[in-house]
Amino acid sequence: MSPGLSVFLENLRAAPRRAYEATFRSGPPTSDRTRSTFVFGNVFLHLHPVRTHRWSLRWSTTMGLGIITFAAFLITLVTGVLLMFYYKPYPDVAYDSIKDIHFVVPTGRFMRNIHRWAANVMVIAVLLHMARAFYTAAYRKPREFNWLIGMALLVVTLGLSFTGYLLPWDQLAYWAITIGANIAQSPREVTDALQITDRFDPGGLQKLLLLGSDQVGEEALIRFFLLHVMVLPLALVLLAAVHFWRIRKDGGLVRPANADERLGPAPLETYPVFTEAPHKTYQLAAIVKGKTAAVGRGPEGTVPSMPHLFYAEAGVAMLTVLVCLGLALFLDAPLKELANPGVPENPAKAPWYFLGLQELVAFSAFMGGIGIPGIVLLGLGLIPFLDREEAGTGEWFGGPGGLPLVLRSIVVGLGSAVLVDGIAIRYGWLREWFPKIPQLVVTLVNPGTVLTFIYAAYSIYLVKKYGSTRAGALGLFTCFLCGFALLTLVGSYFRGPNWSFYWSPADWPVH
Amino acid sequence: MTTAPEHGSPETPASALRSRLDPEPVPRRDFLGLAALWASASTVLFATLGIARLPKAAVLSSPSRKFKVTLPEALPAGEAFVPPGRSVALFKEAGEVWAVSTVCTHLGCIVKSSATGFDCPCHGSGFAKDGSVTRGPAPTALKWVKVSAAGGDVIVDEGESVPLGTKVSV
Ligand code: HEM
Ligand code: FES
């Protein structure tokens, strides 16, 4: 055989093995070295640090909530692509295509259910995740920027949910688009009252941009479809990549200053620390500022990310999949009647996570739909820049006041929400008391703004009492969570036809 | 062709006498670099502004929302008649007709006529028969829309609002 040919044959024989080696370049992750190259040799994994602090792996540190959020997102991504095989974003056929998916397409109903419940899991998880980042004071220096990225992720997540349930073009969808577009137009509540709408009409512009037309129709559906399947998922992927990368650059997850002492020596069964002498010199450490996961402390507190972190993440992700599949097996995603522009449902309710908002817009469209959410976002964004303290970083409910303060704030938050909403339900509000009252007063002074004001006042009182911004933030955040929860509850269970108050749906008038 | 003046020759201005190692007053490279940077930045800015014009529709499809309707013979005074598929309530009283839009001024749901006027199913706004707000979050009264008599029928234009209280005799 000619030498050329034999080399060729030899290469051919070795091709599968070499392809395998080219793909899995670092070999099995069994030593310190290969465990490290396993992480930083892979573009996705290297968003993680090579070694992870043991504090970060404690279940009570994160409760896995960020990973649950992201896993739920990945599930919606996969099932969403599958749904797109059949979904048609045109008003005439959208509803039928969803029905096809639900009743005809093989596994279609299952996929649709998974998609819907994973989206719900994502909303719950992202809210809880934000709460955990807040209560462990994880937003403090140097994590301010990541807190802001997180807020953007929260907005995108809610945006994905909203644009998603519009797509079936059923009654829920149609009236949600109508209400959403009119909330976008609600700055007119103010410009009308000031009689400047002719010259300055941001509300009208927003509605026009959202609907692509002056009424709800095919232009609107295409826009929401575009946002739902393209713009928002892309934004979420990009933001999430930055979010994860920042965690690593900010020195891993937040932990108390004395985490190492509190953890004690590593248990024997954890993979030991640096069995081989390091082959790499850390020149980079001389030019980058700030900390990486292992700088400043010995590596004793850390363990290799492979397997400790990755197995934990995979476990949480599998649990998320399990929950979503379980829900999808037993509960069908809702689908109402075909959109009917002439008759809204009575009551016309948004999905549960927007019912708090619906309760607020039932006091004032502008303040409830734009003003108060804007104030809340602004407040959330300011937290890391106003609270520059250090006490309690990385501790649950850390900071002056601690858990007792949070418990008291729950009482204040729930109590004042019950009181204010109760007054509005029992006795009506300004318009019922003074029928001639100008609209601008109703817009500015309504149960929603009064509640916001009470919470803000309480928070300022806490700042003074404890001499600490963190105490004020703890109170304010807790109050807002409670207000959100209570309004959501009222909107879900206690509102019936014509948005009137009923103690139970059993009391709803029947026709 | 001009040749660069000899370094230090009598006709060179004093400023050119700097050593090549001295920093230039406005470093040329920096100047060119900054100019290029600003040029690209403004290009991107204007391109973005141009792109942003796209989603704002220049022409809106606004089909005529005018229709003709026969009021029922026996429509009692003060009772609303809502033609099927339309969002307008017609009233007839003492030889006059008028039309109140049933689109809620709060967030656009369709109100239902009731004994006292109109109720909105979405956030509980209430309106009197003439459309004025009696409770709830609606910021303004329901619109009145244009009606005109056409023989025994009336022509309603949902797309055109008229001042509150405009009635037409038939
Ligand atoms: C789609 C939405 C989001 C995803 C997928 C996500 C994912 C993650 C993940 C995986 C982590 C690692 C720790 C953990 O699992 O808890 C994390 C940390 C963090 N997240 Fe998020 N997140 C999201 C939204 C948010 C929001 C809404 C906020 C707050 C406004 C936020 C603020 C933070 C902060 C400050 C950290 C660092 C925590 C620490 O150092 O202990 N994230 N995020
Ligand atoms: S749309 Fe009528 S009360 Fe909100």
Side-chain angles (χ1 to χ4, degrees):
Chain A
M1 216 188 322
S2 86
L5 201 59
S6 66
V7 170
F8 173 79
L9 285 178
E10 166 59 26
N11 285 349
L12 189 63
R13 203 175 47 76
R17 179 173 52 81
R18 286 185 181 147
Y20 178 87
E21 284 169 4
T23 313
F24 302 98
R25 290 166 300 280
S26 56
T30 44
S31 65
D32 276 337
R33 167 91 73 92
T34 50
R35 280 164 197 257
S36 305
T37 47
F38 183 81
V39 179
F40 60 66
N42 178 301
V43 67
F44 303 108
L45 293 184
H46 100 293
L47 287 176
H48 300 84
V50 166
R51 301 182 67 84
T52 305
H53 199 278
R54 281 193 289 136
W55 190 272
S56 304
L57 292 171
R58 282 167 30 130
W59 137 257
S60 62
T61 303
T62 64
M63 301 182 175
L65 288 165
I67 295 296
I68 295 179
T69 315
F70 194 63
F73 172 66
L74 291 182
I75 297 171
T76 58
L77 208 62
V78 173
T79 49
V81 169
L82 291 170
L83 294 176
M84 280 177 74
F85 275 81
Y86 290 99
Y87 175 74
K88 305 179 188 70
Y90 297 94
D92 298 343
V93 287
Y95 186 72
D96 287 338
S97 68
I98 295 286
K99 271 192 146 173
D100 279 349
I101 290 172
H102 202 96
F103 293 108
V104 184
V105 172
T107 75
R109 180 200 306 221
F110 193 41
M111 292 303 154
R112 175 164 181 260
N113 291 350
I114 299 174
H115 193 74
R116 178 69 67 111
W117 302 134
N120 275 267
V121 167
M122 194 175 162
V123 171
I124 300 174
V126 76
L127 292 174
L128 293 178
H129 168 67
M130 179 172 76
R132 119 51 207 160
F134 175 81
Y135 284 120
T136 54
Y139 53 78
R140 282 178 179 165
K141 194 169 179 253
R143 297 181 176 79
E144 305 100 317
F145 182 71
N146 219 11
W147 173 261
L148 296 181
I149 295 287
M151 282 178 54
L153 282 166
L154 175 73
V155 172
V156 172
T157 305
L158 292 178
L160 274 167
S161 293
F162 182 67
T163 52
Y165 72 77
L166 303 181
L167 300 181
W169 211 250
D170 58 354
Q171 278 287 66
L172 175 65
Y174 184 88
W175 293 104
I177 296 194
T178 305
I179 289 174
N182 284 316
I183 287 180
Q185 190 187 274
S186 67
R188 275 199 188 165
E189 199 176 303
V190 178
T191 53
D192 275 347
L194 301 173
Q195 300 185 338
I196 54 170
T197 309
D198 294 342
R199 277 159 292 144
F200 177 69
D201 183 18
L205 180 66
Q206 290 192 70
K207 179 173 176 179
L208 184 63
L209 286 181
L210 217 51
L211 294 185
S213 161
D214 48 5
Q215 39 218 337
V216 175
E218 54 182 12
E219 299 296 340
L221 183 51
I222 277 284
R223 280 179 191 215
F224 285 109
F225 178 69
L226 173 70
L227 285 173
H228 187 74
V229 305
M230 209 48 181
V231 178
L232 294 177
L234 264 180
L236 197 133
V237 168
L238 288 178
L239 288 167
V242 177
H243 198 58
F244 301 159
W245 168 252
R246 284 310 320 167
I247 296 172
R248 188 185 131 187
K249 290 283 125 180
D250 294 337
L253 298 187
V254 72
R255 61 179 173 271
N258 59 354
D260 284 328
E261 295 93 85
R262 280 162 67 176
L263 281 173
L268 286 177
E269 69 270 25
T270 47
Y271 189 78
V273 176
F274 287 132
T275 48
E276 299 160 33
H279 290 263
K280 225 177 144 171
T281 53
Y282 288 91
Q283 289 136 330
L284 256 184
I287 52 171
V288 291
K289 84 175 201 295
K291 302 173 182 170
T292 60
V295 172
R297 295 156 220 275
E300 296 77 22
T302 68
V303 290
S305 298
M306 175 68 204
H308 297 284
L309 175 61
F310 296 145
Y311 280 25
E313 289 185 354
V316 171
M318 279 159 68
L319 197 71
T320 313
V321 172
L322 196 73
V323 168
C324 294
L325 291 191
L327 286 169
L329 272 178
F330 297 108
L331 290 173
D332 275 350
L335 182 66
K336 312 227 159 166
E337 301 91 71
L338 177 63
N340 178 354
V343 188
E345 288 195 306
N346 193 3
K349 289 197 181 186
W352 64 267
Y353 40 85
F354 285 134
L355 285 179
L357 212 60
Q358 191 165 346
E359 183 74 14
L360 282 182
V361 295
F363 302 131
S364 153
F366 175 69
M367 283 319 277
I370 296 184
I372 295 174
I375 292 172
V376 170
L377 284 181
L378 186 74
L380 282 177
L382 279 177
I383 286 177
F385 303 102
L386 299 184
D387 169 14
R388 310 299 290 177
E389 295 160 25
E390 276 166 18
T393 301
E395 314 263 10
W396 273 93
F397 313 113
L403 184 58
L405 170 63
V406 171
L407 294 177
R408 244 174 298 134
S409 306
I410 291 181
V411 176
V412 173
L414 282 181
S416 40
V418 168
L419 189 72
V420 173
D421 209 20
I423 289 178
I425 287 168
R426 183 76 181 75
Y427 300 106
W429 201 254
L430 294 175
R431 169 124 46 222
E432 288 80 35
W433 304 336
F434 315 103
K436 292 266 168 288
I437 200 158
Q439 176 59 33
L440 212 51
V441 179
V442 180
T443 300
L444 288 179
V445 184
N446 61 58
T449 53
V450 168
L451 199 57
T452 311
F453 182 80
I454 294 177
Y455 289 169
Y458 175 63
S459 156
I460 289 172
Y461 157 79
L462 289 177
V463 171
K464 274 177 129 173
K465 174 167 173 206
Y466 288 87
S468 149
T469 317
R470 170 70 175 167
L474 274 175
L476 191 61
F477 189 88
T478 311
C479 279
F480 269 111
L481 276 191
C482 293
F484 174 80
L486 186 97
L487 293 180
T488 307
L489 188 77
V490 172
S492 311
Y493 290 106
F494 298 114
R495 291 295 189 176
N498 295 339
W499 207 245
S500 308
F501 182 87
Y502 293 93
W503 281 109
S504 133
D507 303 342
W508 291 11
V510 279
H511 358 234
Chain B
M1 282 264 299
T2 52
T3 44
E6 187 78 75
H7 195 68
S9 64
E11 60 269 49
T12 25
S15 63
L17 291 174
R18 278 178 302 106
S19 144
R20 277 171 49 223
L21 294 177
D22 286 342
E24 296 171 69
V26 180
R28 193 170 15 162
R29 274 164 189 263
D30 284 9
F31 174 76
L32 290 178
L34 281 176
L37 197 70
W38 281 106
S40 5
S42 42
T43 314
V44 170
L45 180 74
F46 281 107
T48 314
L49 288 181
I51 291 168
R53 289 185 53 203
L54 183 139
K56 184 167 179 289
V59 183
L60 302 180
S61 71
S62 25
S64 165
R65 291 159 70 201
K66 220 173 185 166
F67 64 96
K68 192 176 190 172
V69 62
T70 318
L71 292 180
E73 273 312 320
L75 184 65
E79 182 122 331
F81 170 67
V82 181
R86 303 287 173 177
S87 353
V88 61
L90 296 167
F91 292 93
K92 185 174 177 183
E93 200 174 307
E96 286 182 317
V97 292
W98 65 94
V100 179
S101 160
T102 56
V103 179
C104 183
T105 53
H106 179 228
L107 292 172
C109 287
I110 304 296
V111 298
K112 265 201 337 219
S113 72
S114 69
T116 53
F118 302 95
D119 288 326
C120 184
C122 289
H123 316 95
S125 286
F127 303 87
K129 290 238 149 117
D130 67 351
S132 52
V133 189
T134 53
R135 65 191 158 79
T140 53
L142 293 174
K143 274 193 201 143
W144 285 41
V145 301
K146 191 173 170 190
V147 278
S148 41
D153 301 335
V154 287
I155 296 177
V156 186
D157 188 352
E158 284 185 63
E160 202 175 329
S161 54
V162 292
L164 266 58
T166 313
K167 304 180 178 179
V168 179
S169 42
V170 282

